[in-house]
Amino acid sequence: MDSYKTEEEQIIALKRWWKDNGNSLLIGIGLALAVVFGWKAYQQNVENNKNAASVLYQQLLEVAVGSPASEESESSIEFIATKLKSEFNSSEYAAYAALFLAKSAVGKGDLSAAATELRWILDNFETSPLTYIVKGRLARVLDAQGSKDEALALLDVAGVGSHAAMYLEIKGDILNRAGEVDAAKAAYLEAYKAMKESGVQRPLLTLKMAELGLSEEDA
């Protein structure tokens, strides 16, 4: 602006600049505000959803843990868990709700429904630490359905860290039920070694080993 000789020339130049650029400037400001307020609204919505899901999950736990097992409590568990899955399906709480539904289905002998719930967790929460537990449970369900090979395929210990002992113990259980005693012994011994290395306790493992004539010294 210093290049203009008079204040009047400066005003004229400013008006001209505003005429040429004012609309673009207002649009840019409007978009910036929309982004800022839109992001804040999104964050608030996410937080509200988390809180609502947390409240529902707390209700689920209260019924599951605090109420005696009955047809009524089982119905309440299924209702709340289904609501969590349908309304907050991207929340970790939904994955835990699916676990409750799978457990309920197993209790009713509906292994197909249990497998469906467990597969849903694996499909929708691939990076969740919960998937290690889910794979173990699904392996047991598949074995009970007669799909031994598919069950064993889920129990790959590569990269599972401290869950290796659990996977190997389940593998031993499946092989033992199939009558493959030598393979079951090998799996239990590997499970015992993995348990000692990780420090994770598997209380029933030594009993299962003893039933097959194995001792801790064999590991």
Side-chain angles (χ1 to χ4, degrees), residues 18-28:
W18 181 258
K19 181 179 179 181
D20 294 337
N21 301 283
N23 287 339
S24 297
L25 180 62
L26 288 175
I27 291 172

Side-chain angles (χ1 to χ4, degrees), residues 104-126:
S104 176
V106 169
K108 295 177 179 178
D110 191 348
L111 297 179
S112 179
T116 297
E117 294 295 340
L118 295 171
R119 290 186 192 280
W120 181 85
I121 299 172
L122 296 179
D123 289 341
N124 291 278
F125 296 88
E126 294 179 5

Side-chain angles (χ1 to χ4, degrees), residues 68-78 108:
S70 65
E71 186 174 331
E72 182 179 354
S73 65
E74 192 65 30
S75 178
S76 297
I77 289 170
E78 290 182 10
K108 295 177 179 178

Side-chain angles (χ1 to χ4, degrees), residues 25-46:
L25 180 62
L26 288 175
I27 291 172
I29 293 173
L31 288 174
L33 290 173
V35 169
V36 170
F37 286 109
W39 175 246
K40 286 185 177 180
Y42 169 77
Q43 288 181 311
Q44 185 62 50
N45 185 58
V46 169

Side-chain angles (χ1 to χ4, degrees), residues 2 70 120 137 148 170 201 204 214:
D2 293 341
S70 65
W120 181 85
R137 294 188 183 183
K148 184 191 77 170
I170 295 172
Q201 297 301 309
L204 296 179
L214 297 171

Side-chain angles (χ1 to χ4, degrees), residues 52-81:
S54 176
V55 169
L56 268 180
Y57 186 66
Q58 185 61 40
Q59 292 175 357
L60 179 60
L61 288 179
E62 288 174 1
V63 175
V65 178
S67 303
S70 65
E71 186 174 331
E72 182 179 354
S73 65
E74 192 65 30
S75 178
S76 297
I77 289 170
E78 290 182 10
F79 175 80
I80 298 171

